Amino acid sequence: MVTALQKGLPDLTSRQFTLLLHVYLKDQAHTVRGLAEDLNMSKPAVTRALDRLGKYDFVRRKTDENDRRSILVQRTIKGSVYLREFGDMVEQYAEEV
Amino acid sequence: MVTALQKGLPDLTSRQFTLLLHVYLKDQAHTVRGLAEDLNMSKPAVTRALDRLGKYDFVRRKTDENDRRSILVQRTIKGSVYLREFGDMVEQYAEEV
DNA sequence: TAGCATCATTGCGATTGCGGAACGTTTGGG
DNA sequence: CCCAAACGTTCCGCAATCGCAATGATGCTA
């Protein structure tokens, strides 16, 4: 995380980061409601986390055409890159200590 | 982090968690000033992070007797347990996905 | 098609964290 | 014996987040 800050990568809150990880690791359809339940947080918190993550283009919203009340959270290239970089930094730090 | 939240473990901010990890992984004397430099954050942020971590008894302050202006951040049993639990949860989640 | 349930979002007030500056304490040099 | 420097903390204003409640949009059913 230190290195992430120093590199100018966005410093996400725990919940935002958790959400990001969950979307990229769990291979399933992700809605606001579902994420709120899975991650044990309120729906508004999910909505705002998606706003924040969307600003960096780490995830994208797409309305579910089968049920236009819901949205589907989609992965992006930039999100993958961010997590990849993050993983590399963790690995490097792990070797350092 | 998900599991941590569900288990009622404190949800620390990125900086707080980073600080905790740094104190437990880097084997050296830790002062406020030193942590602020190492972790690239302001001194007030370090002070407040120590307040928060201290509330849970994850770290403790101890005035440096060689230089009473400084404090030394010390590890605790509860901090070790927390990190251990956290590590186990990460491992378990890793297997799950 | 009318009405209720469900979904995501948005106000709102309260809480929390942040950085910069000011403060009190302690140290060490002149 | 001062006084400047260094240390950690506190004060202050700002920005971001949170949960709850209300809102708008969509789906479902009788």
Side-chain angles (χ1 to χ4, degrees):
Chain A
M1 290 176 174
V2 179
T3 316
L5 289 181
Q6 289 172 346
K7 288 206 175 185
L9 293 179
D11 59 327
L12 307 172
T13 67
S14 301
R15 288 179 143 90
Q16 289 162 0
F17 193 77
T18 303
L19 179 50
L20 184 64
L21 266 181
H22 191 74
V23 168
Y24 277 79
L25 293 183
K26 282 278 190 181
D27 212 1
Q28 57 188 229
H30 295 289
T31 65
V32 172
R33 179 126 195 125
L35 288 170
E37 285 175 1
D38 291 349
L39 306 183
N40 212 34
M41 49 198 279
S42 69
K43 283 197 301 173
V46 173
T47 293
R48 279 162 189 139
L50 291 179
D51 289 343
R52 181 98 201 278
L53 294 173
K55 254 184 39 181
Y56 299 111
D57 197 33
F58 287 170
V59 297
R60 233 173 260 155
R61 287 176 169 94
K62 180 170 172 301
T63 59
D64 183 353
E65 291 302 332
N66 293 36
D67 182 347
R68 298 181 53 79
R69 289 174 302 179
S70 298
I71 64 152
L72 300 176
V73 180
Q74 302 201 306
R75 302 167 184 163
T76 65
I77 302 292
K78 287 195 61 180
S80 304
V81 170
Y82 176 83
L83 283 179
R84 174 51 151 221
E85 281 189 74
F86 206 94
D88 289 348
M89 289 186 294
V90 170
E91 202 170 334
Q92 186 177 344
Y93 185 83
E95 287 178 10
E96 192 179 330
V97 293
Chain B
M1 290 179 174
V2 178
T3 317
L5 289 181
Q6 289 172 346
K7 288 208 175 182
L9 292 178
D11 58 328
L12 306 172
T13 67
S14 300
R15 289 179 144 87
Q16 290 162 359
F17 192 77
T18 303
L19 179 50
L20 183 65
L21 267 181
H22 191 74
V23 167
Y24 277 79
L25 292 184
K26 282 278 190 181
D27 213 0
Q28 57 189 229
H30 295 289
T31 65
V32 172
R33 178 121 194 130
L35 288 169
E37 285 175 1
D38 291 350
L39 305 183
N40 212 33
M41 49 198 279
S42 70
K43 283 196 300 173
V46 173
T47 293
R48 281 184 296 256
L50 292 180
D51 289 343
R52 182 99 201 278
L53 294 174
K55 253 185 40 181
Y56 299 111
D57 197 34
F58 287 170
V59 298
R60 235 172 258 156
R61 287 176 169 94
K62 180 171 172 300
T63 58
D64 182 352
E65 292 302 332
N66 293 37
D67 182 348
R68 299 181 52 79
R69 289 173 302 180
S70 298
I71 65 152
L72 301 176
V73 180
Q74 302 199 306
R75 302 167 184 164
T76 65
I77 302 292
K78 287 195 60 178
S80 303
V81 170
Y82 176 83
L83 284 181
R84 174 51 150 220
E85 282 190 73
F86 205 94
D88 289 347
M89 289 186 293
V90 170
E91 202 170 334
Q92 185 178 343
Y93 186 83
E95 288 178 10
E96 192 179 332
V97 295

